[in-house]
Amino acid sequence: MAKFQAPKGVSEYVPDRSSHFDYVRSTLIESAVVAGYQLVELPVFEDTELFARGVGESTDVVRKEMYTFEDRGGRSITLRPEGTAGVMRAVIEHNLDRGQLPVKVYYSGAFFRAERPQAGRYRQFYQVGIEAIGVADPRIDVEVIAVAERAFRQLGLQNYRLEITSLGDSLTRENYLADLRSYISGVSLDEETTARASLNPLRLFDDKRPEVKDLMSKAPVLMDYLTPESAADFAKVQELLSMIGIDFVVNNRMVRGLDYYTGTAFEFVHNDLGAQSGIGGGGRYDGLMAQLGGQELSGIGFGLGIDRILLAREAEGLALPDGLGLDLYIVPLGTGDEALKISEELRLRGIRVDLAFGDKALKGAMKSADKSGARYAIVLGADEISSGVVSLKEMKSGETTSVTLSALANELIERIANLGENS
Ligand code: HAM
């Protein structure tokens, strides 16, 4: 019978790479948690209209990349292509914006875009995102950027850069878009492109065709239109980033792929990833809540691409840090009943333990211990059980120490704690 395969273009993680994926994801989440962001767990599908209105009709995401279907009740449903619109929907629905501001939330999960698959670009991919809603203050912009930057540093990444820009306030964009439209009306474009430009002329900056790229390279630049207030906010963001030691470059020509952005926008770009080099991006979206039927509140956030961050770590040759795997592997001789009991006792104390199952000969079981990546191993036979003493072997050095079974948990806990201090 033909074997099933995963659908085209999805990313999936199985051992051992899944441990690396898990490490990246938990480091990103921890960086948000230490800054006071709380979990939101939201549905992976929503009313299609939420994304059409929130993300924007002119975007590639809405025009070409949504997984949209009719459910059994005849409703149009879409698998979430991004997280921000759903968060805003939930904040409005649960009146979170009527409490303490800013509302600070994070999420982690799968997102879906029907893109042409290639290295680092998947149809189901994973993000960790944060959103800070309800306070317009450049300090929050910097906090949000710092959550990403701190996580990347903790993950050991070095070969990336932060690009920032400002899309200004509504007056900025009004003035700018008027000039941009008049520039575009003076050049000749095909019908579809003209229609796209009339929905959102900024989208032409996304166009990959050389002739359109060439036209747009001569178009007016938004940064030249910033109102004094927007310019002051953007200057403040830069000053504060420098103050806390975050390097950045200003990119006047950054185009974010979603329509809701206003004010500060940013992208983290990794140098070793080829075409799909964006490991994370975000920005302010001050009109989004009102656009989705809520009150006029500002917001800012980011989405970080776990898949690409994992690829970036691999490209930089970064291994998993020590201490994430198993602490102990038990090789039972005989029935293994006692080994099972001891494993459970140790696991209750927070020690990560695995053991050989089945009727493995000692040699095979020792091989499993090696393969398991555990830091320590013990052999548990009739002699050890009757004497109550085991030989604790450190797998890397081969060194062994005699430890009583009753002291084993404490001995391991102490060694694990020392490992944390020394790393
Ligand atoms: P985005 O720039 O569309 O922003 O996506 C954020 C990140 O998700 C990208 O930088 C990339 O790492 C990853 N990503 C996007 N598409 C794919 C794909 N097809 N395959 C693999 N990775 C991908 C947003 O989604 C916004 N919701 C971020 C945000 C939150 N802005 C404000 N708040």
Side-chain angles (χ1 to χ4, degrees):
M1 215 189 330
K3 281 191 192 136
F4 286 112
Q5 289 187 327
K8 191 167 169 231
V10 302
S11 66
E12 59 181 359
Y13 299 93
V14 298
D16 291 325
R17 202 163 172 250
S18 53
S19 305
H20 205 153
F21 177 88
D22 192 29
Y23 167 64
V24 171
R25 175 172 55 191
S26 50
T27 306
L28 300 176
I29 290 174
E30 185 56 18
S31 185
V33 169
V34 298
Y37 290 78
Q38 289 181 293
L39 177 68
V40 282
E41 196 65 74
L42 302 179
V44 296
F45 58 87
E46 298 263 7
D47 186 331
T48 301
E49 189 56 26
L50 173 71
F51 300 118
R53 248 203 283 159
V55 173
E57 301 274 10
S58 77
T59 59
D60 275 353
V61 169
V62 170
R63 286 167 62 237
K64 306 193 247 182
E65 297 171 359
M66 295 210 297
Y67 282 101
T68 298
F69 58 96
E70 202 173 275
D71 75 1
R72 287 168 192 269
R75 289 167 286 256
S76 179
I77 293 292
T78 293
L79 298 184
R80 60 183 184 188
E82 63 95 53
T84 313
V87 169
M88 291 311 260
R89 196 263 311 136
V91 167
I92 299 168
E93 186 170 336
H94 300 285
N95 292 318
L96 300 183
D97 53 323
R98 308 284 166 182
Q100 171 112 337
L101 297 179
V103 175
K104 291 176 41 167
V105 294
Y106 78 87
Y107 48 89
S108 167
F111 294 85
F112 307 86
R113 295 184 193 175
E115 300 197 75
R116 208 158 40 80
Q118 62 179 89
R121 186 164 72 189
Y122 309 112
R123 293 180 169 172
Q124 172 169 338
F125 59 97
Y126 295 87
Q127 280 187 2
V128 168
I130 69 172
E131 312 291 347
I133 297 149
V135 176
D137 179 339
R139 284 165 205 86
I140 298 213
D141 301 26
V142 172
E143 175 183 280
V144 167
I145 292 172
V147 168
E149 171 73 20
R150 188 157 22 79
F152 292 152
R153 285 187 198 172
Q154 271 160 1
L155 287 168
L157 292 176
Q158 289 187 325
N159 204 4
Y160 68 93
R161 62 183 185 277
L162 164 64
E163 298 187 354
I164 61 169
T165 193
S166 171
L167 303 176
D169 52 17
S170 51
L171 186 61
T172 304
R173 282 189 308 284
E174 202 178 297
N175 292 334
Y176 171 66
L177 289 180
D179 279 9
L180 184 60
R181 281 184 202 283
S182 89
Y183 172 80
I184 289 172
S185 69
V187 299
S188 85
L189 294 168
D190 61 80
E191 214 171 288
E192 200 207 318
T193 314
T194 311
R196 200 169 180 216
S198 76
L199 275 173
N200 181 357
L202 287 174
R203 289 272 82 89
L204 295 202
F205 286 109
D206 283 344
D207 206 303
K208 304 280 180 305
R209 290 171 296 180
E211 62 279 15
V212 183
K213 269 190 150 168
D214 189 45
L215 283 174
M216 296 315 284
S217 70
K218 299 179 195 109
V221 173
L222 189 142
M223 194 69 83
D224 297 334
Y225 290 73
L226 292 186
T227 57
E229 295 76 22
S230 290
D233 278 353
F234 190 46
K236 187 74 189 171
V237 167
Q238 296 179 58
E239 177 200 324
L240 293 172
L241 285 172
S242 301
M243 183 189 84
I244 58 172
I246 296 183
D247 292 336
F248 59 88
V249 285
V250 173
N251 175 0
N252 288 337
R253 295 190 175 271
M254 183 191 302
V255 217
R256 300 280 300 132
L258 316 166
D259 268 355
Y260 47 62
Y261 290 109
T262 63
T264 310
F266 56 92
E267 270 171 5
F268 288 90
V269 184
H270 198 275
N271 302 327
D272 306 335
L273 292 187
Q276 304 306 317
S277 57
I279 52 175
R284 260 198 181 278
Y285 42 84
D286 287 350
L288 182 59
M289 186 177 261
Q291 211 171 316
L292 296 177
Q295 48 176 339
E296 286 274 351
L297 280 183
S298 63
I300 178 162
F302 65 55
L304 308 180
I306 307 176
D307 314 87
R308 291 189 193 167
I309 296 166
L310 175 56
L311 291 170
R313 273 184 54 86
E314 289 167 347
E316 289 199 35
L318 296 164
L320 270 182
D322 278 351
L324 289 181
L326 289 172
D327 300 313
L328 179 70
Y329 195 90
I330 303 181
V331 176
L333 298 179
T335 68
D337 293 358
E338 196 66 19
L340 180 66
K341 182 165 160 248
I342 291 171
S343 304
E344 275 311 304
E345 285 164 8
L346 295 173
R347 289 166 180 164
L348 265 179
R349 303 279 310 269
I351 299 163
R352 298 183 205 148
V353 185
D354 197 3
L355 63 158
F357 287 105
D359 263 338
K360 269 193 194 151
L362 178 63
K363 206 166 142 218
M366 282 316 286
K367 243 191 212 152
S368 305
D370 259 338
K371 263 210 196 140
S372 76
R375 299 186 63 77
Y376 298 98
I378 58 171
V379 173
L380 199 64
D383 285 354
E384 285 79 9
I385 293 166
S386 65
S387 68
V389 178
V390 291
S391 166
L392 181 64
K393 177 174 175 190
E394 188 185 21
M395 299 302 281
K396 221 189 236 165
S397 62
E399 256 171 49
T400 56
T401 319
S402 280
V403 182
T404 62
L405 275 171
S406 55
L408 184 59
N410 286 347
E411 176 72 25
L412 284 167
I413 288 169
E414 200 174 306
R415 289 183 183 220
I416 297 162
N418 285 340
L419 176 78
E421 273 164 29
N422 298 339
S423 66

